């Protein structure tokens, strides 16, 4: 695993209509939004585009809310590359605290531009997007059928193992 560069991002997963109805008291990680019922996978990948770790939440949870947890899971890397949704001083400080240099573009309404922004590394962010595309090739992940979050996480772990072992 090459963790010189770590890419983080989130992607929505539509929840199948039969995935509702789990017993109360169990975590579901299903959110309700205007687009329907969704789950969001927050994923960290390495420089080779392979998954390091992930978190799942309801679809209404913003990327920046889960970023500190992902940074903790990753541990250490040289660079943390993310899109504009992760543009906050809290995330930048958390990355710096873990010894990572954040490569996150400023939003268009930012007061000050980022002078140390590395556009070459940011262009490589397609690696995390490609990982989402590979994950969504698995039918059970593309359309979430599982009622409980732990079962859906298990399916994602299995898909990541298959991708790591280069079986597909």
């Amino acid at each position: 695993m090459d963790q010189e560069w770590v890419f983080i991002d989130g992607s929505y997963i539509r929840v199948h209509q039969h995935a509702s109805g789990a017993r109360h008291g169990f975590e579901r990680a299903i959110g309700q939004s205007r687009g329907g019922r969704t789950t969001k996978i927050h994923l960290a990948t390495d420089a080779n585009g392979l998954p390091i770790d992930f978190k799942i939440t309801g679809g209404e949870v913003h990327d920046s809310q889960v970023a500190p947890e992902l940074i903790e899971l990753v541990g250490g890397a040289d660079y943390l590359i993310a899109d504009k949704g992760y543009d906050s001083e809290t995330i930048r400080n958390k990355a710096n605290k873990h010894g990572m240099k954040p490569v996150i573009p400023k939003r268009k309404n930012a007061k000050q531009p980022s002078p140390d922004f590395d556009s070459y590394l940011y262009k490589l962010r397609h690696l995390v997007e490609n990982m989402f595309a590979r994950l969504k090739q698995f039918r059970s992940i593309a359309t979430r059928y599982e009622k409980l979050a732990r079962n859906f996480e298990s399916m994602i772990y299995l898909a990541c193992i298959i991708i790591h072992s280069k079986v597909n």
Side-chain angles (χ1 to χ4, degrees):
M1 201 178 309
D2 187 5
Q3 288 191 9
E4 180 181 1
W5 306 329
V6 172
F7 304 90
I8 60 174
D9 203 2
S11 183
Y12 293 99
I13 303 293
R14 293 289 306 251
V15 176
H16 193 268
Q17 63 187 4
H18 295 144
S20 62
R23 296 186 61 135
H24 291 286
F26 291 99
E27 177 63 31
R28 293 180 199 83
I30 297 174
Q32 183 69 36
S33 63
R34 292 185 335 181
R37 299 168 59 78
T38 55
T39 295
K40 194 162 195 180
I41 301 174
H42 306 272
L43 180 69
T45 61
D46 64 7
N48 295 320
L50 296 173
I52 298 171
D53 214 336
F54 66 90
K55 298 293 275 182
I56 64 168
T57 62
E60 77 282 353
V61 177
H62 192 268
D63 293 338
S64 62
Q65 293 175 302
V66 183
E69 292 178 56
L70 275 178
I71 292 170
E72 288 287 334
L73 288 172
V74 168
D78 293 342
Y79 294 93
L80 175 73
I81 300 108
D83 61 7
K84 290 180 185 178
Y86 296 92
D87 179 27
S88 76
E89 284 305 311
T90 307
I91 294 171
R92 291 175 191 277
N93 292 338
K94 184 83 164 181
N96 285 327
K97 185 176 139 187
H98 283 278
M100 295 184 245
K101 183 178 177 187
V103 179
I104 303 169
K106 292 281 190 176
R107 292 191 190 106
K108 64 181 176 183
N109 63 352
K111 304 263 191 283
Q112 327 159 13
S114 180
D116 56 346
F117 179 71
D118 189 343
S119 61
Y120 172 74
L121 283 180
Y122 186 72
K123 288 178 184 175
L124 295 176
R125 209 181 63 76
H126 72 279
L127 293 171
V128 70
E129 301 294 345
N130 293 348
M131 185 62 216
F132 278 120
R134 290 180 72 187
L135 275 176
K136 289 181 179 182
Q137 288 177 354
F138 294 89
R139 182 172 178 245
S140 61
I141 294 172
T143 306
R144 180 183 167 175
Y145 294 104
E146 290 79 16
K147 294 180 186 229
L148 300 178
R150 67 174 188 223
N151 297 347
F152 186 58
E153 281 182 355
S154 300
M155 296 306 295
I156 297 172
Y157 277 121
L158 284 172
C160 289
I161 289 170
I162 291 170
I163 290 169
H164 259 288
S165 62
K166 307 227 188 281
V167 173
N168 63 344

